[in-house]
Amino acid sequence: MKHRDSQLIKKMILECLDIIRYTSEVNRGKFLENDLYQKATAMSIITIGEHANTLTRDIWLEHNEIEWRKIVDLRNIIAHGYGEVKMELVWNLAQNEIPKLLGQLESILKT
């Protein structure tokens, strides 16, 4: 793996950990009421998408179990506000998809 890819994956892992920390500090209701948590979580999702898009396509092909295109597309949706981003979706991603992605990214670094 190229050093740059390794560094990007490490940064993505840190963003995942931040999201998990943000959303573990509040329950769903408090998250949906508090724009500070919403914005922090959304920004970390955007950053993950930016890093994913910068990875070499070799990583995308080697680790096709990760839905890289969806990660980048989600980044674009949140960053550009196509329609209105539903914070319920952001909460669900943080609860269900981010821990899964974290495990997948950590696994890449171990190989």
Side-chain angles (χ1 to χ4, degrees):
M1 174 185 334
K2 292 184 179 180
H3 177 73
R4 184 167 176 261
D5 285 337
S6 174
Q7 294 305 307
L8 288 167
I9 290 169
K10 287 176 183 176
K11 289 178 181 182
M12 292 171 71
I13 287 170
L14 291 175
E15 293 296 337
C16 287
L17 291 170
D18 282 346
I19 291 170
I20 291 168
R21 181 172 49 90
Y22 304 148
T23 58
S24 69
E25 292 177 3
V26 294
N27 62 28
R28 179 183 160 279
K30 292 288 184 192
F31 178 85
L32 295 175
E33 293 172 0
N34 188 312
D35 70 332
L36 184 64
Y37 286 103
Q38 293 171 16
K39 289 177 181 180
T41 303
M43 185 52 112
S44 285
I45 292 171
I46 288 170
T47 303
I48 289 169
E50 289 174 356
H51 292 327
N53 198 38
T54 308
L55 290 168
T56 61
R57 293 312 179 246
D58 290 342
I59 291 290
W60 282 34
L61 293 172
E62 275 180 56
H63 301 281
N64 61 2
E65 71 279 4
I66 297 177
E67 297 184 73
W68 302 109
R69 175 56 35 213
K70 285 187 179 180
I71 292 169
V72 172
D73 289 347
L74 180 61
R75 177 255 175 238
N76 292 335
I77 289 167
I78 292 173
H80 300 294
Y82 302 132
E84 186 176 315
V85 177
K86 304 282 189 240
M87 284 301 137
E88 182 73 37
L89 169 67
V90 172
W91 172 261
N92 288 335
L93 287 168
Q95 295 300 301
N96 302 312
E97 300 302 323
I98 294 299
K100 177 181 167 186
L101 177 62
L102 174 61
Q104 291 170 318
L105 295 171
E106 289 174 334
S107 176
I108 292 172
L109 289 183
K110 290 178 185 174
T111 58

